[in-house]
Amino acid sequence: MPADDKYMHNIADNLNRVHRQIQQIADRAGRDAGEIQLLAVSKGQPAAAIRMAYELGQRHFGENYLQEALEKQQALVDLTDICWHFIGPLQSNKTRKIAEQFDWIHSVDRYRVAQRLSARRPETVAPLNVCLQVNIDDEPSKSGVTVEALPTLADEVIKLPRLNLRGLMCIPRSQTDLQQQRRAFAHLATQLGSLRHSTQLARLDTLSMGMSDDLEAAILEGATIVRIGTAIFGPRQSTA
Ligand SMILES: *Cc1c(COP(=O)(O)O)cnc(C)c1O
């Protein structure tokens, strides 16, 4: 079998397995698997791998690094209904390209960046879907707004005209115990619940949480977008 075919087979098997896992966990949780979107995290993977996943029906892809993403988007311009999510750290000097080239941003954690993204979102396309990244374990060196500062940030971001605030995202501290993993995700779900008490935030509908190693805990606690990289594409070839 040519190398490309083998890679394609792996991605097909992996995608099937992840879809099956999502279905099984959702069944156990009494949730509708249709409300859980699989975001294929393609950082460190070549454009050819994204194209293969696309041909297998995958439409949502997540990237962490702007330059790397732009190169792949260029190579994949013919895939007109592909949906690009930016999930990496945001630098304010890169907001123009990000606002132009992505459909979703999961990593907004300060007002200044949100404001710039809104100002730079072209009028010709729909408002940019945004999740606020929350530093859910309160780790000093980690990105994300603190739980304490979250309500104020949400109240500010919801007013920005070219952003569509959708919900919350987190990257918890790495844990292997399911109960420990669930605790962090439950904490994020609680934060979304309390924001939704306010009338202007009642329509927030997204919990972006869960990666290859904590998918189960995330779905059990209400994830609506799971961000899966290695379980779909295998080890990353570069993290430029
Ligand atoms: C890399 C990354 C993922 C995917 O991680 P895997 O362990 O490969 O599934 C998900 N979310 C974010 C924010 C990432 O940076």
Side-chain angles (χ1 to χ4, degrees), residues 14 22 33 56 58 71 79 112 131 137 141 152 161 174 178 180 186 188-189 198 203 211 215 219 222 226-227 237:
N14 292 346
I22 292 172
L56 294 159
Q58 179 66 33
E71 285 166 23
L79 310 182
R112 203 171 105 80
C131 290
D137 293 314
S141 61
T152 305
S174 169
L178 180 69
Q180 302 272 355
L188 192 73
S198 126
R203 64 181 164 80
M211 322 204 310
L215 172 68
I219 293 175
V226 291
R227 309 180 309 267
Q237 290 158 26

Short mmCIF file of all heavy atoms in Angstrom, two decimals, residues 14 22 33 56 58 71 79 112 131 137 141 152 161 174 178 180 186 188-189 198 203 211 215 219 222 226-227 237:
data_model
loop_
_atom_site.label_atom_id
_atom_site.label_comp_id
_atom_site.label_asym_id
_atom_site.label_seq_id
_atom_site.Cartn_x
_atom_site.Cartn_y
_atom_site.Cartn_z
N ASN A 14 -9.30 6.17 12.72
CA ASN A 14 -9.28 7.02 13.91
C ASN A 14 -10.55 7.86 14.03
O ASN A 14 -11.13 7.98 15.10
CB ASN A 14 -8.05 7.92 13.89
CG ASN A 14 -6.76 7.15 14.06
OD1 ASN A 14 -6.78 5.98 14.44
ND2 ASN A 14 -5.63 7.79 13.77
N ILE A 22 -17.58 9.08 21.05
CA ILE A 22 -18.48 10.19 21.38
C ILE A 22 -19.91 9.67 21.54
O ILE A 22 -20.61 10.00 22.50
CB ILE A 22 -18.40 11.31 20.31
CG1 ILE A 22 -17.02 11.98 20.35
CG2 ILE A 22 -19.51 12.34 20.50
CD1 ILE A 22 -16.76 12.95 19.22
N ALA A 33 -25.74 12.75 20.99
CA ALA A 33 -24.40 12.91 20.41
C ALA A 33 -24.39 13.98 19.32
O ALA A 33 -23.35 14.57 19.02
CB ALA A 33 -23.90 11.58 19.87
N LEU A 56 -13.22 12.58 4.22
CA LEU A 56 -13.97 11.60 5.02
C LEU A 56 -15.16 12.25 5.73
O LEU A 56 -15.81 11.63 6.56
CB LEU A 56 -13.03 10.96 6.05
CG LEU A 56 -11.91 10.10 5.43
CD1 LEU A 56 -10.75 9.92 6.40
CD2 LEU A 56 -12.46 8.74 4.99
N GLN A 58 -15.11 15.24 7.61
CA GLN A 58 -14.80 16.18 8.69
C GLN A 58 -14.78 17.61 8.14
O GLN A 58 -14.21 17.86 7.08
CB GLN A 58 -13.45 15.81 9.31
CG GLN A 58 -12.98 16.71 10.43
CD GLN A 58 -13.87 16.62 11.67
OE1 GLN A 58 -14.44 15.57 11.99
NE2 GLN A 58 -14.01 17.73 12.37
N GLU A 71 -0.64 29.06 5.91
CA GLU A 71 -0.05 28.27 4.82
C GLU A 71 -0.96 27.12 4.42
O GLU A 71 -1.16 26.85 3.24
CB GLU A 71 1.33 27.75 5.24
CG GLU A 71 2.39 28.85 5.20
CD GLU A 71 3.68 28.46 5.92
OE1 GLU A 71 3.95 27.25 6.06
OE2 GLU A 71 4.41 29.39 6.35
N LEU A 79 -11.51 24.02 -0.64
CA LEU A 79 -12.48 23.38 0.26
C LEU A 79 -13.38 24.47 0.85
O LEU A 79 -13.15 24.95 1.96
CB LEU A 79 -11.76 22.61 1.37
CG LEU A 79 -10.65 21.64 0.91
CD1 LEU A 79 -10.06 20.90 2.10
CD2 LEU A 79 -11.19 20.65 -0.12
N ARG A 112 -9.12 43.80 25.41
CA ARG A 112 -8.39 44.50 24.36
C ARG A 112 -8.30 43.68 23.08
O ARG A 112 -8.50 44.18 21.97
CB ARG A 112 -6.98 44.80 24.87
CG ARG A 112 -6.30 45.95 24.18
CD ARG A 112 -5.01 46.26 24.94
NE ARG A 112 -3.85 45.77 24.19
CZ ARG A 112 -3.32 46.42 23.16
NH1 ARG A 112 -3.83 47.56 22.76
NH2 ARG A 112 -2.27 45.93 22.53
N CYS A 131 -15.27 32.01 21.91
CA CYS A 131 -15.35 31.46 23.26
C CYS A 131 -14.33 32.18 24.13
O CYS A 131 -13.25 32.53 23.67
CB CYS A 131 -15.03 29.96 23.28
SG CYS A 131 -16.28 28.94 22.49
N ASP A 137 -8.22 26.07 36.50
CA ASP A 137 -7.51 25.58 37.68
C ASP A 137 -6.71 26.69 38.36
O ASP A 137 -5.93 26.43 39.27
CB ASP A 137 -6.56 24.43 37.31
CG ASP A 137 -7.31 23.20 36.85
OD1 ASP A 137 -8.29 22.83 37.53
OD2 ASP A 137 -6.93 22.60 35.83
N SER A 141 0.77 30.47 35.48
CA SER A 141 1.44 30.74 34.21
C SER A 141 0.54 30.49 33.00
O SER A 141 0.98 30.57 31.86
CB SER A 141 2.67 29.85 34.10
OG SER A 141 2.25 28.50 34.12
N THR A 152 -17.38 39.97 34.18
CA THR A 152 -17.16 41.30 33.62
C THR A 152 -16.72 41.21 32.16
O THR A 152 -17.21 41.94 31.29
CB THR A 152 -16.07 42.04 34.44
OG1 THR A 152 -16.50 42.04 35.79
CG2 THR A 152 -15.87 43.45 33.95
N PRO A 161 -19.90 44.46 18.36
CA PRO A 161 -20.83 44.21 17.26
C PRO A 161 -20.42 43.10 16.29
O PRO A 161 -21.27 42.45 15.73
CB PRO A 161 -20.87 45.57 16.53
CG PRO A 161 -19.60 46.26 16.92
CD PRO A 161 -19.31 45.80 18.32
N SER A 174 -3.30 18.80 33.36
CA SER A 174 -3.35 17.41 32.90
C SER A 174 -3.51 16.45 34.09
O SER A 174 -2.76 16.51 35.06
CB SER A 174 -2.06 17.13 32.13
OG SER A 174 -1.94 15.76 31.89
N LEU A 178 -10.25 10.02 36.15
CA LEU A 178 -11.49 10.51 35.55
C LEU A 178 -12.23 11.49 36.46
O LEU A 178 -12.74 12.52 35.99
CB LEU A 178 -12.40 9.32 35.19
CG LEU A 178 -13.74 9.68 34.56
CD1 LEU A 178 -13.58 10.25 33.15
CD2 LEU A 178 -14.67 8.47 34.53
N GLN A 180 -11.06 13.43 38.79
CA GLN A 180 -10.34 14.71 38.82
C GLN A 180 -10.58 15.50 37.54
O GLN A 180 -10.78 16.72 37.56
CB GLN A 180 -8.83 14.46 38.96
CG GLN A 180 -8.43 13.66 40.17
CD GLN A 180 -8.20 14.56 41.37
OE1 GLN A 180 -8.26 15.78 41.25
NE2 GLN A 180 -7.96 13.95 42.52
N ALA A 186 -16.68 20.23 35.19
CA ALA A 186 -17.93 20.59 35.87
C ALA A 186 -17.88 22.05 36.33
O ALA A 186 -18.87 22.78 36.26
CB ALA A 186 -18.16 19.67 37.07
N LEU A 188 -16.25 24.47 34.85
CA LEU A 188 -16.49 25.34 33.69
C LEU A 188 -17.98 25.37 33.34
O LEU A 188 -18.53 26.44 33.05
CB LEU A 188 -15.67 24.89 32.47
CG LEU A 188 -15.64 25.91 31.34
CD1 LEU A 188 -14.76 27.11 31.69
CD2 LEU A 188 -15.17 25.31 30.02
N ALA A 189 -18.61 24.20 33.37
CA ALA A 189 -20.05 24.13 33.06
C ALA A 189 -20.85 25.00 34.03
O ALA A 189 -21.81 25.68 33.63
CB ALA A 189 -20.53 22.68 33.10
N SER A 198 -27.98 35.81 33.29
CA SER A 198 -28.18 37.18 32.84
C SER A 198 -28.85 37.15 31.46
O SER A 198 -28.45 36.38 30.59
CB SER A 198 -26.83 37.91 32.81
OG SER A 198 -26.60 38.48 31.54
N ARG A 203 -28.23 33.25 25.72
CA ARG A 203 -28.12 32.43 24.51
C ARG A 203 -26.75 31.76 24.35
O ARG A 203 -26.52 31.07 23.36
CB ARG A 203 -28.44 33.26 23.28
CG ARG A 203 -27.47 34.40 23.04
CD ARG A 203 -27.88 35.21 21.80
NE ARG A 203 -27.20 36.49 21.77
CZ ARG A 203 -25.96 36.67 21.36
NH1 ARG A 203 -25.24 35.65 20.95
NH2 ARG A 203 -25.42 37.87 21.35
N MET A 211 -9.95 16.94 25.21
CA MET A 211 -8.95 16.66 24.20
C MET A 211 -8.80 15.13 24.14
O MET A 211 -9.62 14.42 24.70
CB MET A 211 -7.64 17.37 24.53
CG MET A 211 -7.84 18.76 25.13
SD MET A 211 -6.50 19.96 24.97
CE MET A 211 -5.09 19.10 25.54
N LEU A 215 -11.45 13.20 26.86
CA LEU A 215 -12.69 13.28 26.09
C LEU A 215 -13.90 12.81 26.89
O LEU A 215 -14.96 13.46 26.91
CB LEU A 215 -12.51 12.41 24.83
CG LEU A 215 -13.71 12.16 23.94
CD1 LEU A 215 -14.12 13.44 23.26
CD2 LEU A 215 -13.38 11.10 22.88
N ILE A 219 -17.28 15.07 27.92
CA ILE A 219 -18.64 14.80 27.43
C ILE A 219 -19.59 14.54 28.59
O ILE A 219 -20.72 15.03 28.60
CB ILE A 219 -18.64 13.63 26.43
CG1 ILE A 219 -17.88 14.05 25.17
CG2 ILE A 219 -20.06 13.20 26.09
CD1 ILE A 219 -17.70 12.94 24.15
N GLY A 222 -20.79 17.81 29.83
CA GLY A 222 -21.57 18.72 28.99
C GLY A 222 -20.85 19.40 27.84
O GLY A 222 -21.40 20.35 27.25
N VAL A 226 -15.60 19.15 21.27
CA VAL A 226 -14.41 18.48 21.78
C VAL A 226 -13.28 18.68 20.77
O VAL A 226 -13.50 18.62 19.57
CB VAL A 226 -14.66 16.97 22.07
CG1 VAL A 226 -15.60 16.82 23.26
CG2 VAL A 226 -15.21 16.24 20.86
N ARG A 227 -12.09 18.98 21.28
CA ARG A 227 -10.96 19.35 20.42
C ARG A 227 -9.95 18.21 20.41
O ARG A 227 -9.19 18.03 21.35
CB ARG A 227 -10.30 20.63 20.95
CG ARG A 227 -11.27 21.79 21.22
CD ARG A 227 -10.51 23.01 21.75
NE ARG A 227 -9.64 22.70 22.86
CZ ARG A 227 -9.99 22.80 24.14
NH1 ARG A 227 -11.17 23.26 24.49
NH2 ARG A 227 -9.13 22.47 25.09
N GLN A 237 3.77 16.13 13.56
CA GLN A 237 5.05 16.10 12.85
C GLN A 237 5.88 17.34 13.10
O GLN A 237 7.07 17.34 12.94
CB GLN A 237 4.79 15.89 11.35
CG GLN A 237 4.28 14.48 11.11
CD GLN A 237 3.52 14.34 9.82
OE1 GLN A 237 3.75 15.10 8.89
NE2 GLN A 237 2.62 13.38 9.74
#
